[in-house]
Every structure is written in C-alpha cells, then in structure tokens.
Amino acid sequence: MNYDQARWTHDDETYEPLLSEKGTRDVEVESSLPDDLTRDSLELPELSEPELARHYVRLSEQNYGVDSGPYPLGSCTMKYNPKFTEDLAARPSAAVHPDRSEESVQGTLGLMHGLQDQLARIGGMDAVTLQPPAGAAGEFAGIRIAAAFHEANGEGDQRTEIVIPDSAHGTNFASAALAGYDVVELPSADDGRVDLDALDAAVGEETAALMLTNPNTLGLFERDIETIAETVHDAGGLLYYDGANLNALLGRARPGDMGFDIMHYNVHKTFATPHGGGGPGAGPVGVVDRLADFLPDPHVRQTDDGVFETYTPENSVGHLHGFAGNWLVLVKAYAYIARLGDDGLSDASAKAVLNANYLAERVPYDVPHGPFHHEFVASAGDQDAADVAKRMLDYGVHPPTTKWPDIVPEALMTEPTEVESKRSLDQLADAFTAVADEDDETLHAAPERTTARRIDQTTAARNPRLSWQALDD
C-alpha cells in the first residue's frame, strides 16, 4: 500500500504559516496598566476557531505519530496510549500544587502510595520510589542507590565497576559512567544471550553491579538468569534490572523473583504514556528490602491511622525531582493498571509476545535467534538499514529502530507491541517485503511521499535550529 502524507497547498509547498503570519490586524487595546508593564511587540493573530483548529491539525499531520498507524519502533517504543488516561490526567482535580499541605492532598498521596505498592507487586520488589522523571534518570538513581549501599558497607572505594552486556541500552553505559563507575562491557554469546564464561571472567571484588535487560534487546529471555544472579551475588555485586522491556513479562514473571535487587520501570512506555521523543516520562525505581533505606527523598507511607505522609528514608540518596516526579504520567500509569487489572496486564504481555513472533515469521529479512518476546532484530543484509527505514514511511508505517544493537549487522529492531491487530501486522510485513525487493537508488531517495523528504540527520542532531519563527536560511 502506498502512502501519501498530507499536503495542502496548490504549489506543493509544505510550509504551514505561523499563526502570527495569518490574519493579523492591528487592534487598539485599552489598558489601565502603567507603560512599563505593557508592550506592543506581541504578534497576536486574529483568527476564527476553525482557522485555528485547522492550523494545528495540519501541523500534526506533518508528523507520523502513534495515532497515525503502526509504530514498531524497537526497544523504547510508544506503546498503547489509551485516551481514557489522557482524560483523567486532564481533569482539574489532577492538577495539584506542590506547596499544598499534606493534609489537603491526601488523595494525591494515596494514589502515590497505591502506585508504589502496585509497581512493587508487579516487579517483585519490596519498595518503590516514584521520583525519577525518566527511565535513564531511574537508571542513574538505581546506580546511586547501589553506590550508597556499598559505601555503607565499607566497600565504596573497592567496588568501582559496573558490568553491562554489549547488547544493553546505551543509557546503561551512560548512567554507570555518570555515577563515576568504570564500565566493563560483557560480550554476548553466539545465541545472543549472556555469555556465562565471559560473565565469570568479568565479575569480581571490583563489581558494584551488573545491569541487565530481560528479555534483552534482541527480544530473548535470559534462560540462565538464576545462574547469572548467583554469580553476581557471590561476587558481592548487585543485580540491576533495566525495565525497558518489562511489558513482555507483565503478569507472568517478576524481576525480583529472578534475583534482581534494583529495577526501574519505564511507566511511560509500559503503562500508557507515549514515549520516543514525545515525553515526559517517569522512571520509578524498585528495590529489595535491604536497599529500601537508600531510596530518594521524599517517600510516601501510610500511618496506622490511615493517614498518608511523606518521609525521608534513613540513608536516602537525596532529592531527585520536584515533589512527586512527573505526576501526571504517574496518574496515567495508576489508571492503566487499575483498569486492566492482573488479567489485563497478563493479556497485554501475551499479545506483545504473539505479535512479535508472528511478524518475525513474515519479515523477508534474516532474523537471527528466537523465539522472541516483545521484539526481534532483523538484518537488512546488503541493504542499508537506514534506507530501509526511510523507505518504509512511503508505505504508511513508522520505521523500526535501525543500526542497533550492532551485534546484528544492519539491524532493524522491531517491536510491534501488544496494540496492533493482525491487519496492522500484515501491513507492516507487506511494507518490509516491498522494501526488500527495491533497488539501492530507490532506497537512497526515500522517503518520497512524506511532507518532509530525506533530512540530514547528523546536522539535525548536532546543530538543531529550534525556533517558533521562520528562519531566513
């Protein structure tokens, strides 16, 4: 199926004028304010409601979003974004000023306490903090908790290394380095999982923690997770769970039961808030009981009288974010968990796994390893993975993640998610098939049917020009 993104002007120009360029006329405004408190430099447009609505609809249609069609961006993907959670988060009662007294926000604190408990139960953890404002922030908070734990045990100067598999999310390496640790990269085995011999060689008295994603970024479950946990713990290290792929395990397995000591939850992707450049996110962190005293400040608890209150854990690593973190993202996560319940969460993970394996069977490229959980990584072979991704836009689907992990050449990391129907999965498969048969010249020229054609990604990333006004050059 070919796809043409909306264009609205007769001469094929895609530029949508700024509001300030539309229908503005001079209007005299009478004001009793002093001159030094007023200004006349604002370019306020005078537009009708339909004109205003059309302006924003056109802008939204120049992008491809989770509401536009299949969105299989691998790993840190936008998941289900139900509209009922947006409605709840938009209610005036959800807007809570952070300076209000605890007595006047008992409902807010109650929701936080309830979400702490729900996440702890889902992850098999003993305590959860809601403060970190993103998954990477959760990683950093978790590593800071590990550092504080070793410091309290008198091993802070000794345990200087964090072990991380070569297939891990890039943020794992950054979080460990930012926290002051040396990173020990762990090579993957031929089957894409942790190489146990390499693990034995990597861990030791210097190991503070191993950061692991399970299922990993190839969509593979670490079958030797109990051996991995035992190896790390015997060396005196902690086992950290990257929760980016938790949606594959919901209601079926828990990191805490696998031996993980610390984990973060990407509630913005697992529990109903879009992610992937859209933000904001939230990255709550769960810990086992022996690490609970190191959680950030403030934490929420309920007294014997049923009153909710905040407190500072005894050995807290400190304050990470204002008040409750990204509060409205947490509201949506709470609502999503409450709506689905245990059966619904389990059903969502089942569909995520089923969809990934169905699509992996239909993709015309080589797909190493398997069976998969929530995602898989295909190899584009002789084609450039970035070209394949750009071309897929012309077939009306969002591209997969490309070029990563680099243990698969020309990687196409694909995560269809639990949301997509068989029709959507077939549309994705047809797009992969169509692109696989095309020549390099066609791929290099892609995309052809989108509002914005091929952009210079390097310049866009390294020299962004962000302005609400049109630039001259």
Side-chain angles (χ1 to χ4, degrees):
M1 182 185 77
N2 289 333
Y3 166 83
D4 284 296
Q5 199 165 46
R7 298 168 189 258
W8 304 277
T9 53
H10 297 298
D11 56 1
D12 205 32
E13 286 288 337
T14 59
Y15 176 67
E16 170 65 12
L18 301 172
L19 282 178
S20 60
E21 298 171 338
K22 290 185 169 185
T24 300
R25 65 181 176 85
D26 293 334
V27 177
E28 293 293 333
V29 178
E30 294 185 3
S31 172
S32 59
L33 293 173
D35 290 343
D36 60 346
L37 294 181
T38 65
R39 55 178 170 165
D40 56 10
S41 59
L42 292 177
E43 298 176 347
L44 300 176
E46 184 180 79
L47 298 172
S48 66
E49 180 182 302
E51 288 174 313
L52 191 65
R54 289 166 189 164
H55 170 76
Y56 285 111
V57 168
R58 287 176 177 178
L59 288 179
S60 71
E61 290 181 346
Q62 291 188 24
N63 198 5
Y64 189 102
V66 70
D67 290 331
S68 304
Y71 203 108
L73 191 71
S75 197
C76 288
T77 258
M78 289 185 179
K79 301 296 195 305
Y80 185 31
N81 179 213
K83 301 302 180 262
F84 85 92
T85 60
E86 298 292 339
D87 291 341
L88 289 173
R91 290 189 175 188
S93 56
V96 180
H97 195 285
D99 284 341
R100 285 176 59 177
S101 65
E102 291 190 356
E103 293 78 9
S104 67
V105 292
Q106 282 294 295
T108 299
L109 295 179
L111 188 151
M112 293 172 63
H113 188 265
L115 184 57
Q116 288 175 184
D117 284 349
Q118 291 280 28
L119 293 177
R121 191 169 64 89
I122 289 170
M125 294 284 123
D126 294 312
V128 171
T129 175
L130 304 178
Q131 277 233 330
E139 291 179 20
F140 183 70
I143 296 303
R144 290 298 304 142
I145 291 170
F149 170 77
H150 291 307
E151 187 72 28
N153 288 338
E155 295 184 334
D157 294 334
Q158 170 192 329
R159 299 196 175 273
T160 58
E161 296 178 348
I162 301 289
V163 182
I164 306 174
D166 57 4
S167 63
H169 297 96
T171 49
N172 288 184
F173 299 92
S175 297
L178 188 63
Y181 282 103
D182 298 326
V183 174
V184 178
E185 186 171 310
L186 191 65
S188 298
D190 292 339
D191 67 355
R193 296 177 172 84
V194 169
D195 186 321
L196 295 181
D197 291 335
L199 177 66
D200 285 334
V203 301
E205 295 180 351
E206 295 79 21
T207 302
L210 166 66
M211 300 183 77
L212 191 67
T213 308
N214 192 23
N216 64 21
T217 56
L218 294 174
L220 306 174
F221 190 84
E222 297 289 352
R223 292 188 293 247
D224 298 312
I225 186 60
E226 291 178 330
T227 301
I228 294 170
E230 184 178 352
T231 301
V232 173
H233 289 155
D234 286 348
L238 298 170
L239 192 57
Y240 182 96
Y241 181 77
D242 181 328
N245 296 341
L246 180 65
N247 59 307
L249 304 180
L250 289 176
R252 298 173 181 278
R254 308 192 305 173
D257 297 336
M258 301 177 199
F260 287 93
D261 303 292
I262 311 171
M263 67 175 291
H264 80 265
Y265 307 73
N266 284 351
V267 297
H268 48 274
K269 55 179 290 188
T270 307
F271 303 112
T273 296
H275 178 51
V285 170
V287 296
V288 294
D289 189 57
R290 60 178 172 153
L291 301 176
D293 281 343
F294 300 94
L295 287 175
D297 159 51
H299 198 63
V300 181
R301 65 185 174 192
Q302 187 175 25
T303 68
D304 292 339
D305 296 331
V307 175
F308 296 104
E309 63 180 13
T310 60
Y311 73 102
T312 301
E314 184 176 356
N315 297 307
S316 174
V317 296
H319 205 60
L320 298 179
H321 196 275
F323 188 52
N326 282 333
W327 163 245
L328 294 180
V329 178
L330 302 174
V331 170
K332 286 186 272 190
Y334 182 90
Y336 180 82
I337 294 170
R339 170 68 71 86
L340 265 66
D342 291 349
D343 290 342
L345 294 176
S346 178
D347 185 61
S349 67
K351 289 186 170 67
V353 173
L354 178 63
N355 283 0
N357 284 279
Y358 175 78
L359 187 59
E361 285 293 318
R362 287 214 52 195
V363 167
Y365 296 105
D366 178 45
V367 184
H369 313 303
F372 305 100
H373 275 68
H374 61 301
E375 65 187 0
F376 61 87
V377 181
S379 173
D382 294 334
Q383 292 180 324
D384 185 288
D387 287 347
V388 170
K390 296 297 183 186
R391 183 58 172 158
M392 290 184 70
L393 285 166
D394 288 333
Y395 291 95
V397 299
H398 192 280
T401 301
T402 62
K403 308 275 189 179
W404 181 80
D406 56 13
I407 55 177
V408 175
E410 298 300 330
L412 298 167
M413 177 186 278
T414 307
E415 183 175 2
T417 81
E418 72 278 11
V419 181
E420 303 301 339
S421 65
K422 182 176 180 297
R423 175 178 297 181
S424 295
L425 297 175
D426 289 338
Q427 182 184 355
L428 280 166
D430 291 344
F432 272 112
T433 301
V435 173
D437 292 335
E438 294 184 319
D439 57 71
D440 289 344
E441 184 178 355
T442 301
L443 298 183
H444 290 329
E448 296 182 336
R449 300 174 181 275
T450 54
T451 301
R453 300 289 296 276
R454 179 76 68 110
I455 63 172
D456 182 341
Q457 295 184 142
T458 303
T459 300
R462 296 179 180 175
N463 186 28
R465 304 180 69 190
L466 308 176
S467 173
W468 65 275
Q469 291 181 312
L471 301 174
D472 294 334
D473 57 354

